[in-house]
Amino acid sequence: MEFITWEHPLVRGTFDLVQSQELGNTCVAVLRNKSVKPGTVLVETFYRINCTAPKALQSSRYLPTTFVRILIDEAGQNLAEKVNFDVIDQQLKDLPKGTVKQLLQNQRNPLEKTIRLSEKLAHESLSSVITQATHAMNTELNEEVRRLVSLQKHNSNIRNEEIQFIRDKNSELQTCLQESTIYLDSVRVIFTA
């Protein structure tokens, strides 16, 4: 135990196993709130944005682990910005297992459509997140290139290879960020009563 750290392969493997399993990534609950019409079905999905880039590029500086939350009602509207996660989470109650199974069987087709719609909305959000990350990365690295070019005029120890390294890093990072993917991380189906 003394030799196990957060970076130990056993610990990292355990985290990867827990994150990649499907067990525990779905939930069904009931919401009792007078402001929501009884019988309404809400689907809350969380999508994880994943940028696969070599560690040396440090892509997490510009695009850290990011989740996109989508909360869709029966009309197909995304209520994620209007309804706070913590507020709704405190109002949810568990349902008996038998009731959950029956409700899901009755609502299977509408739920599948809603999840497909949430995936479309998440992909739209992905482009704006990538744009922001790319802008932050370009701003930082272009400033670094300008700084090195300015220093090079006064200091002959600054080599052209150093400047080219930053430019190459910028180009590689831009490609990696543009190839970022999004995948469904978890789903919560909320029935109102």
Side-chain angles (χ1 to χ4, degrees):
M1 288 300 288
E2 292 178 18
F3 297 106
I4 293 181
T5 65
W6 289 109
E7 289 79 26
H8 191 278
L10 179 65
V11 175
R12 294 184 65 93
T14 303
F15 279 124
D16 290 342
L17 182 65
V18 168
Q19 289 179 341
S20 64
Q21 281 188 340
E22 293 181 5
L23 182 65
N25 65 357
T26 58
C27 174
V28 178
V30 65
L31 173 68
R32 288 185 172 84
N33 188 321
K34 293 178 182 177
S35 63
V36 182
K37 183 178 118 182
T40 302
V41 178
L42 302 170
V43 177
E44 184 176 41
T45 54
F46 288 90
Y47 291 86
R48 176 185 263 182
I49 296 176
N50 187 28
C51 178
T52 52
K55 267 190 170 180
L57 293 178
Q58 300 175 340
S59 63
S60 61
R61 288 181 63 183
Y62 312 105
L63 185 61
T65 301
T66 305
F67 288 91
V68 175
R69 176 179 174 248
I70 308 288
L71 178 64
I72 297 180
D73 64 3
E74 292 174 327
Q77 296 178 344
N78 185 5
L79 307 173
E81 291 184 14
K82 297 177 185 173
V83 180
N84 186 310
F85 172 80
D86 293 326
V87 171
I88 198 170
D89 192 50
Q90 292 173 357
Q91 297 177 9
L92 295 176
K93 303 290 182 212
D94 291 334
L95 286 169
K97 211 172 201 177
T99 307
V100 168
K101 190 173 181 179
Q102 184 180 4
L103 285 170
L104 291 177
Q105 286 175 346
N106 292 339
Q107 296 290 325
R108 182 182 180 108
N109 290 336
L111 288 174
E112 287 176 352
K113 287 179 186 176
T114 305
I115 290 173
R116 282 193 297 273
L117 174 61
S118 77
E119 187 172 351
K120 181 183 171 197
L121 293 171
H123 278 286
E124 291 172 7
S125 296
L126 173 64
S127 62
S128 69
V129 171
I130 289 173
T131 301
Q132 290 173 357
T134 303
H135 177 70
M137 183 264 308
N138 281 328
T139 302
E140 183 176 315
L141 294 181
N142 288 338
E143 182 59 36
E144 181 66 13
V145 167
R146 279 193 290 278
R147 185 182 73 78
L148 288 175
V149 168
S150 176
L151 279 174
Q152 190 179 38
K153 292 176 185 174
H154 304 288
N155 185 349
S156 60
N157 290 331
I158 306 291
R159 300 182 322 252
N160 288 332
E161 292 83 20
E162 293 178 60
I163 297 170
Q164 189 58 43
F165 174 78
I166 301 292
R167 289 182 175 141
D168 291 344
K169 182 179 178 179
N170 188 334
S171 177
E172 283 184 69
L173 264 171
Q174 192 144 4
T175 301
C176 291
L177 289 174
Q178 294 303 318
E179 293 173 353
S180 294
T181 57
I182 193 165
Y183 65 92
L184 183 61
D185 188 69
S186 59
V187 177
R188 178 160 58 180
V189 179
I190 302 168
F191 294 97
T192 59

